[in-house]
Amino acid sequence: MPVIPPLTVAVPLAFAAFLAATGSLIPRRAVTLTAIGAAAATTALQFAQLVQSLTHDLNHWFGGWTPQHHYALGILFTVDPIDAILACVVGVLMLASLSFSWWGIRDVSHLYYALMLAFLGGMAGFALSADLFDIFVFFELMSVTGYGLCSFRQTSSSVMQGALNFAIMNSIGAFFILMGISLIYGRTGSLNLAQISVSLRGTHPDMLVVVSFVFILVGFLTKAGAVPFHFWMSDAYAVAAAPVGALYAGIMSDLGYHAIARIYADGYAATLDSVAPSVSGILIGVGVATAVVGAVMCFGQADVKRQMAFLVISHGGIFLCGIGLLTGAGMAGATLYVAADAMIKGAVFLTIGYVVVTLGASDEFMLRGRGRRRRHLPAGLAFGLAGLGFAAVPGFGPWLSASLIQQSADAAGYTWLPPVLVVATAVTAATLLRSGGRIFLGWGGDRDPLLTSAQPDEPEEGEPQEESRISTVSLLPAGALLVAGFGMAFAPHLAGYATQAGRQFLDLPGYVAEVIHGRYPPPVTRLPAFHPTAGSWAYGAATTAGALGLAAASLAWSRARTHGLLTRVVLPPLRVLKAVHSGRIGDMATWLTVGAVALCAAGAVTLR
């Protein structure tokens, strides 16, 4: 029985407990080094389990409680390449965030590092769990530590408001998940996903199964920040410290989408496979709405942290579209997109932390031209490279992942989907390129009626007089993340491995045979071939050209004396969309209710 999977959770949680108990008694540098060492050890274990999972899945039954008489009662960690990739992303981002904390965050309590390691343990356990209740428990461990990390430096009421909005909305999402779990447990008498699929196999989806699936869907869409469950994210991201924001933006939200994919593929597909086109339609519909609304709101922000919050929302919609295709290539594209995009998003958030401390704000108008000094050149380069990465520049970074999604969408008959994703990708990338041009080159005007410019209180409260507190050395973790994000496309046979992993992820009979009967499939001798098509190159060229052109047009337009027809046409609907994002918790709960009702109605009509 493999021992690595439980160690990837036990190591960070054990060191979290150690630092919580003894951290006040040892020097701060020792606390930081201990946390970095624990994260490095966990990341090494995660890469080791990735290598092992390429041969066959790793199944660890806690306490040796393997299935008896073809019935699963024990608690299971299962590791396939998809899970292992996400676990590695978690470890790399945590290692980069803690390394940045060494230089970028001073005078912080030892409890910060304890919470970070507990956060790592929760994310790692969540990625590997094959039991509905354990998926819920580890996600809640991740969420609870996330609430604390969001507000660990209580410098103003807005920090507490963002953390409370985060906690309240995610708690409502947790109640939906629990209700869904309760219903499916009452229907099947099991929490193990493979056992649930055995109980549902060959049955037509009844209303109880449909409602339980929709409730779980609502809960994880809320935690992932999909439209219209996303309103809490911009407040939480705007007040999160840079290392914490790198984890939020890089992987935490995307794990919610992974939960939806795992729960459907390994549990509900046994009965919902008969209505798979309807499931696909619902997921892609939510994904498209999320990608488009997130992109528009991203472009309309002047605060770079809020830009990143809405960029995360928009890109999450792209991931959900890849999952919703319900194909091996789509699942592969979504997973690789999460991995490459996570590295770039993490790098941007760490760079934003440097910018806030050294330049004193996070609003692009307030920062206009402040980054033109030579010492800020690395930060400017990071912004520019990240913008090109988000634009899926051909041959690098997320382009390979976008190509997989694009080809899968065309093959599945969703030929209209890639153009929509091109627009969303170009708009979000243009936003970051625009901000970089205004901050580090001084381009563009000092006001723009399309942009919301309201400087929030920052949890790290970086002021110009604090420049001596952080040096450009703190950008090394961001640089390493950028290299990893851009370089993923050059890994040998990566698309083939990912496509095979995606097919394996969606192979429910094979999964049941492994978990319940202990029968593993023969090793794969030939990987699926992947060749970028003309459409793939055209996709990357369109997103890159669109991002560069839109960024340049936005900067030039903001300097124009009159804005004419564009203002009259674009500004009124944009104001309405921004007004909906009021930041009031009552409005957030209302929209969550509207979304839940809409999904329940869609499920009742299409999933039976």
Side-chain angles (χ1 to χ4, degrees):
M1 186 176 295
V3 297
I4 291 181
L7 285 177
T8 62
V9 180
V11 168
L13 292 183
F15 277 95
F18 171 76
L19 291 181
T22 65
S24 61
L25 306 177
I26 57 180
R28 177 188 175 276
R29 285 185 175 271
V31 171
T32 308
L33 285 174
T34 300
I36 292 174
T42 303
T43 305
L45 290 170
Q46 289 163 340
F47 274 97
Q49 77 179 2
L50 171 61
V51 172
Q52 292 185 14
S53 70
L54 295 177
T55 305
H56 61 79
D57 288 357
L58 308 178
N59 293 320
H60 181 92
W61 293 93
F62 285 86
W65 281 38
T66 56
Q68 300 296 319
H69 307 292
H70 306 306
Y71 196 92
L73 283 176
I75 296 174
L76 171 67
F77 272 4
T78 184
V79 186
D80 61 28
I82 297 291
D83 302 319
I85 288 171
L86 294 176
C88 289
V89 172
V90 167
V92 170
L93 282 175
M94 179 59 74
L95 191 57
S97 296
L98 289 174
S99 299
F100 179 88
S101 300
W102 174 272
W103 295 290
I105 298 183
R106 304 285 180 89
D107 304 323
V108 66
S109 168
H110 63 283
L111 296 177
Y112 164 77
Y113 294 99
L115 284 172
M116 290 287 271
L117 290 178
F119 195 62
L120 173 59
M123 288 192 290
F126 171 81
L128 307 183
S129 292
D131 177 285
L132 268 180
F133 192 73
D134 291 319
I135 289 174
F136 170 78
V137 167
F138 279 113
F139 208 108
E140 288 311 296
L141 172 61
M142 180 170 55
S143 297
V144 169
T145 52
Y147 308 153
L149 287 168
C150 187
S151 60
F152 82 97
R153 303 189 76 175
Q154 300 177 23
T155 55
S156 70
S157 59
S158 65
V159 176
M160 289 305 301
Q161 179 184 349
L164 283 173
N165 289 347
F166 180 10
I168 292 170
M169 297 308 297
N170 276 262
S171 296
I172 296 174
F175 282 123
F176 273 96
I177 295 171
L178 272 180
M179 287 189 290
I181 292 174
S182 300
L183 290 174
I184 199 63
Y185 179 72
R187 175 71 165 76
T188 64
S190 179
L191 293 171
N192 181 278
L193 288 171
Q195 192 63 55
I196 288 173
S197 71
V198 170
S199 300
L200 296 177
R201 185 171 51 199
T203 64
H204 190 73
D206 55 43
M207 187 55 72
L208 188 148
V209 171
V210 170
V211 171
S212 69
F213 177 69
V214 171
F215 278 5
I216 291 173
L217 189 62
V218 169
F220 282 112
L221 287 176
T222 300
K223 291 179 175 291
V227 171
F229 312 101
H230 66 290
F231 293 92
W232 61 271
M233 284 186 65
S234 59
D235 289 338
Y237 282 51
V239 300
V244 179
L247 295 171
Y248 288 176
I251 193 62
M252 187 184 77
S253 297
D254 300 331
L255 287 178
Y257 295 117
H258 174 70
I260 293 169
R262 164 138 329 264
I263 291 169
Y264 172 77
D266 293 345
Y268 285 87
T271 183
L272 294 180
D273 187 59
S274 59
V275 290
S278 297
V279 175
S280 180
I282 290 174
L283 295 180
I284 291 176
V286 175
V288 167
T290 302
V292 172
V293 172
V296 172
M297 286 298 298
C298 175
F299 195 76
Q301 305 298 313
D303 183 83
V304 288
K305 280 191 174 182
R306 291 187 182 272
Q307 289 172 8
M308 285 301 299
F310 287 109
L311 182 145
V312 170
I313 292 168
S314 181
H315 286 203
I318 298 174
F319 308 151
L320 186 57
C321 288
I323 292 169
L325 293 170
L326 302 181
T327 63
M331 192 68 212
T335 303
L336 293 182
Y337 212 138
V338 167
D341 206 55
M343 301 300 169
I344 299 174
K345 288 184 295 191
V348 173
F349 243 100
L350 296 182
T351 305
I352 290 172
Y354 170 87
V355 168
V356 168
V357 173
T358 57
L359 302 182
S362 62
D363 185 284
E364 66 176 82
F365 290 121
M366 298 177 68
L367 293 173
R368 178 173 174 265
R370 290 193 193 179
R372 285 183 291 190
R373 293 183 183 178
R374 183 173 297 180
R375 62 169 298 203
H376 301 310
L377 178 62
L381 288 174
F383 260 71
L385 289 173
L388 293 175
F390 290 142
V393 60
F396 296 92
W399 171 78
L400 176 64
S401 317
S403 299
L404 283 165
I405 295 175
Q406 173 259 321
Q407 291 187 23
S408 181
D410 288 342
Y414 287 94
T415 54
W416 56 268
L417 183 58
V420 174
L421 300 185
V422 163
V423 173
T425 301
V427 170
T428 53
T431 305
L432 193 68
L433 291 171
R434 181 197 70 203
S435 296
R438 184 169 273 123
I439 295 169
F440 297 100
L441 299 174
W443 293 351
D446 56 4
R447 64 174 60 87
D448 188 332
L450 293 182
L451 305 189
T452 299
S453 180
Q455 170 71 1
D457 295 319
E458 304 292 343
E460 58 266 54
E461 291 295 333
E463 299 296 335
Q465 62 265 29
E466 296 183 79
E467 284 193 45
S468 61
R469 297 184 59 191
I470 188 170
S471 70
T472 53
V473 176
S474 63
L475 292 174
L476 287 176
L481 290 178
L482 283 174
V483 170
F486 273 78
M488 278 186 60
F490 299 100
H493 309 296
L494 179 62
Y497 279 115
T499 302
Q500 176 60 35
R503 294 175 181 176
Q504 180 182 333
F505 187 90
L506 296 172
D507 179 16
L508 180 58
Y511 177 73
V512 172
E514 287 184 6
V515 173
I516 304 298
H517 305 290
R519 296 197 300 266
Y520 290 90
V524 176
T525 57
R526 185 176 182 181
L527 294 173
F530 172 77
H531 303 288
T533 63
S536 302
W537 291 102
Y539 184 103
T543 53
T544 303
L548 292 170
L550 185 58
S554 178
L555 290 169
W557 181 74
S558 65
R559 295 185 66 91
R561 294 182 178 180
T562 60
H563 302 108
L565 180 63
L566 185 62
T567 301
R568 292 195 298 271
V569 173
V570 175
L571 195 55
L574 185 58
R575 282 177 174 169
V576 172
L577 184 59
K578 289 181 178 180
V580 172
H581 294 75
S582 63
R584 292 189 289 268
I585 191 66
D587 293 346
M588 297 180 189
T590 299
W591 281 107
L592 189 152
T593 304
V594 169
V597 171
L599 280 179
C600 285
V605 172
T606 64
L607 300 184
R608 297 187 65 195

